[in-house]
C-alpha cells in the first residue's frame, strides 16, 4: 500500500492559509444507519491492527463523495456560504423528482492507497451524480470534469506510508487478506439513499483523514 496523502492530493501547504484545507462537497452520509456503521466497525477493527499501514476512518467521518466542488469561482474568488446556500436550492430542485433508492455496500478490499468499499447499483448512483452536477452547474459553481461513469465507493481507511520494505509489504498483504475476511459473511450490507448533504469538507493531511461540517440537507423526491 502507498501513502494516501501524497503531494498531488494535498489541498493546501504548511505555510498557506487554513482555508485552503477546506472545500465544498456533496456527500451521502450514513451516520444515522446502524447497519452501515456496524459494517464499517468490522473493517475498522481490522485496520486498527495495522497502524503502520493504514489509518481507519472513524464513524463520524464516514461518507460517500457524490461531487467535489472547486473552492474558487470562475472569477477566482473563494466560494462563500452564500454561494452554497444558492447551490443547495438548485440541487434540491434537481433532486425533487428523484425517488429514494436502495444501495448495497461492500465488499471491502485494499486498494493501492486506501481501504475501499464499493457501492452498488451503479446505474442509480450514476444518475444521482449527474442530477447533482446539473443543479450545481446551474448556479455557476466550478466542478471538476465529469466522470465517464460515476465510481461509487466509500473509504474505510487511508494508507499512512509507502510499504516499501519487506516487513511493511508483508503487513500490507496481511491487511488485505484480513480485511476481506472481516466482512465475510455477509460481504455486503444495504442502505437507502433518501438525502445528500452539502458540506464544508476539511482535509487533515497528517491524519490522514477528512472531516466535514454539514450545511444543507438535499432530500430526494421533495414534491
Amino acid at each position: 500500500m502507498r501513502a494516501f496523502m501524497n503531494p498531488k492530493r494535498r489541498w493546501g501547504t504548511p505555510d498557506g492559509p487554513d482555508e485552503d484545507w477546506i472545500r465544498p462537497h456533496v456527500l451521502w452520509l450514513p451516520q444515522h444507519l446502524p447497519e452501515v456503521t456496524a459494517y464499517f466497525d468490522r473493517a475498522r477493527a481490522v485496520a486498527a491492527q495495522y497502524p503502520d499501514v493504514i489509518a481507519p476512518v472513524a464513524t463520524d467521518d464516514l461518507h460517500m463523495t457524490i461531487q467535489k466542488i472547486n473552492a474558487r469561482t470562475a472569477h477566482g474568488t473563494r466560494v462563500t456560504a452564500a454561494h452554497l446556500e444558492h447551490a443547495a436550492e438548485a440541487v434540491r430542485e434537481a433532486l425533487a423528482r428523484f425517488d429514494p433508492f436502495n444501495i448495497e455496500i461492500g465488499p471491502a478490499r485494499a486498494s493501492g492507497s486506501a481501504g475501499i468499499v464499493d457501492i452498488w447499483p451503479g446505474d442509480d448512483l450514476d444518475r444521482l451524480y449527474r442530477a447533482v452536477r446539473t443543479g450545481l452547474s446551474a448556479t455557476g459553481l466550478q466542478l471538476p470534469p465529469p466522470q465517464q461513469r460515476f465510481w461509487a465507493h466509500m473509504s474505510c481507511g487511508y494508507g499512512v506510508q509507502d510499504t516499501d520494505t519487506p516487513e511493511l509489504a508483508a503487513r500490507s498483504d496481511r491487511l488485505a487478506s484480513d480485511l476481506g475476511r472481516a466482512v465475510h459473511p455477509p460481504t455486503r450490507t444495504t442502505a437507502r439513499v433518501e438525502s445528500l448533504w452539502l458540506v464544508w469538507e476539511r482535509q487533515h493531511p497528517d491524519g490522514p483523514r477528512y472531516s466535514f461540517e454539514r450545511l444543507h440537507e438535499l432530500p430526494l423526491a421533495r414534491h
Side-chain angles (χ1 to χ4, degrees):
M1 184 170 286
R2 300 183 302 276
F4 178 85
M5 204 64 71
N6 60 52
K8 292 183 178 180
R9 280 201 172 105
R10 291 174 182 258
W11 296 349
T13 59
D15 56 348
D18 180 70
E19 60 188 9
D20 285 351
W21 299 102
I22 302 171
R23 294 183 178 180
H25 286 68
V26 174
L27 308 178
W28 177 72
L29 302 177
Q31 281 73 18
H32 63 295
L33 300 171
E35 63 276 18
V36 177
T37 58
Y39 184 89
F40 279 87
D41 285 345
R42 293 158 64 191
R44 187 181 307 108
V46 172
Q49 301 174 44
Y50 298 89
D52 51 342
V53 178
I54 193 170
V57 176
T59 298
D60 286 347
D61 296 339
L62 289 172
H63 65 278
M64 172 171 52
T65 299
I66 303 298
Q67 181 60 62
K68 303 173 184 178
I69 303 169
N70 293 353
R72 294 189 177 274
T73 68
H75 302 292
T77 59
R78 188 170 294 277
V79 171
T80 66
H83 287 126
L84 297 184
E85 184 175 5
H86 181 47
E89 191 56 38
V91 175
R92 291 188 187 109
E93 291 298 325
L95 299 180
R97 294 175 179 81
F98 203 110
D99 290 331
F101 59 94
N102 294 330
I103 56 174
E104 294 190 1
I105 301 172
R109 58 183 174 84
S111 73
S113 60
I116 295 295
V117 179
D118 291 307
I119 301 179
W120 319 86
D123 289 346
D124 287 340
L125 290 162
D126 186 74
R127 287 193 293 270
L128 179 66
Y129 160 73
R130 297 185 192 284
V132 169
R133 285 185 63 92
T134 296
L136 293 173
S137 297
T139 67
L141 291 176
Q142 301 297 294
L143 309 179
Q147 300 178 37
Q148 183 175 2
R149 176 76 172 176
F150 177 62
W151 177 37
H153 69 284
M154 295 174 66
S155 297
C156 61
Y158 301 110
V160 298
Q161 62 178 324
D162 292 344
T163 54
D164 52 5
T165 68
E167 293 80 9
L168 285 173
R171 284 182 57 74
S172 180
D173 289 344
R174 289 199 295 273
L175 165 66
S177 177
D178 289 350
L179 188 60
R181 290 199 300 266
V183 289
H184 179 79
T187 58
R188 297 181 180 179
T189 189
T190 59
R192 189 161 181 81
V193 177
E194 297 181 316
S195 69
L196 306 175
W197 281 88
L198 182 55
V199 308
W200 287 120
E201 185 168 318
R202 175 180 283 273
Q203 186 184 69
H204 305 264
D206 296 332
R209 61 181 281 252
Y210 295 90
S211 62
F212 44 84
E213 175 189 354
R214 301 183 191 213
L215 298 177
H216 303 285
E217 189 171 15
L218 311 171
L220 279 61
R222 187 191 68 172
H223 299 296

